[in-house]
Amino acid sequence: MIYLEIFWVFFIANILGYGGGPAIIPLIQHEVVVNFGWFTEAQFIEVMAMGNALPGPIAPKLAAYIGFNQAGPLGAFVGIFATVTPSLVLMVALMGVLKRHKDSPQVQRLSKFVRPTIAVLMFIITLQNILWSWEHIGVLHLLILSAVSILCIGKLKFHPVFVVIGALVYGAIFLSY
C-alpha cells in the first residue's frame, strides 16, 4: 500500500503541477505533511533545502528522498518513476502537436497566465517558510540568515549551494536543540 501512496503523491503532483518543480512543491508538501503525515513542516523544509543544494531538478530529488524514507530503495524508485512518468508520456504523445502549435496565440496566452500562477505559488511557499522560521528559530536568526543569504547571492554572486551549506552549518552551530 505504501508504494501506491508514494506513486499517487508524486504522479498526481506532477500531472497537476504545470510549470515544473517550483509549481509542484506546494502540492507535494501538502500531501507529505498534511495528508499522509510522513514529515513535519520542519522536516519537509530541511529536505527541500537539501534538495535545492544538489544539482538537477528538485522534484525527482524530493521523490527519491521521501520515497526512500518511507519505503527504502524501492520506494525511492517508485517516487522517481511517478515523478517522471507524466512528463515522459506527455512529451512522447504530444511532441508533434506541440511542435506544430508552439507559436500559436493560444499557447502564448496560456504561458502568460501560467507564469503569474507559479509566482504566486512560490510566494506562498516562501511566506510559509518565513513564518515557520519566525516561529521556530526566532526573528534574530531569521534576519541574520536572510541578510547574509541576500548579500552572498545578490552582491557577492555566490552559488546558492554554498549559501545553503553555510546556512546548514549556521543551523548546526547556533540552532542545535
Side-chain angles (χ1 to χ4, degrees), residues 1-79:
M1 188 64 175
I2 188 70
Y3 299 112
L4 184 59
E5 291 172 345
I6 292 168
F7 183 86
W8 184 253
V9 165
F10 292 101
F11 185 77
I12 293 300
N14 280 280
I15 283 184
L16 299 177
Y18 177 80
I24 68 168
I25 290 172
L27 300 172
I28 294 170
Q29 181 179 18
H30 180 76
E31 292 297 317
V32 168
V33 174
V34 177
N35 285 353
F36 289 102
W38 293 336
F39 287 86
T40 65
E41 191 77 29
Q43 291 170 323
F44 186 83
I45 290 169
E46 289 176 12
V47 169
M48 196 172 65
M50 287 187 293
N52 276 322
L54 299 171
I58 186 74
K61 292 180 284 190
L62 287 175
Y65 184 84
I66 293 167
F68 185 84
N69 184 272
Q70 294 305 304
L74 185 56
F77 175 79
V78 169

Side-chain angles (χ1 to χ4, degrees), residues 80-146:
I80 293 170
F81 181 73
T83 298
V84 299
T85 299
S87 298
L88 181 65
V89 169
L90 287 174
M91 281 176 46
V92 170
L94 300 175
M95 189 64 71
V97 174
L98 291 175
K99 194 171 186 177
R100 276 193 307 258
H101 299 290
K102 70 178 180 177
D103 296 325
S104 78
Q106 291 86 0
V107 172
Q108 297 297 323
R109 202 170 323 128
L110 176 66
S111 294
K112 287 180 184 177
F113 286 113
V114 168
R115 286 185 189 130
T117 304
I118 293 171
V120 168
L121 289 172
M122 291 304 296
F123 174 76
I124 289 169
I125 199 165
T126 301
L127 185 60
Q128 287 174 339
N129 290 339
I130 290 171
L131 293 174
W132 183 91
S133 298
W134 184 291
E135 182 179 327
H136 289 87
I137 69 169
V139 178
L140 179 63
H141 293 296
L142 175 62
L143 291 175
I144 290 170
L145 288 168
S146 298

